[in-house]
Amino acid sequence: DIYHSKKEVFNLKDIEKAGSKAGVVSNTIKDINLELVNDNLVESEKIGSANFFWSFPIKAILSKVEKVKEMKGKIEESERNLK
């Protein structure tokens, strides 16, 4: 929610600040962010010695649209197999 509400690029320090303000336990913010990156919900890029993170709402929307298409394809395949 932090990424989508601000629609900005963050470094880890900024994410930790915003997470703390949002009530997330500060010791878990780095781990949560890593999991979001691993799940492809947040993008990351290392530039020089700094890591930057971002996630914009359109990516989440496109991901959901793709998932719906995938599920429709599976439903159609299952219906064909039942006939």
Side-chain angles (χ1 to χ4, degrees), residues 2 4 6-8 14 20 23 26 29 42 44 53 63 65 74 78 83:
I2 293 169
H4 292 178
K6 295 196 176 203
K7 300 177 187 166
E8 296 176 8
D14 294 336
S20 292
S26 61
I29 294 171
V42 171
S44 69
F53 305 92
S63 175
V65 167
K74 288 182 179 182
S78 295
K83 291 181 181 180

Side-chain angles (χ1 to χ4, degrees), residues 4-23:
H4 292 178
S5 64
K6 295 196 176 203
K7 300 177 187 166
E8 296 176 8
V9 176
F10 298 92
N11 62 31
L12 188 57
K13 186 177 179 180
D14 294 336
I15 293 167
E16 289 172 340
K17 271 192 218 175
S20 292
K21 286 182 184 178

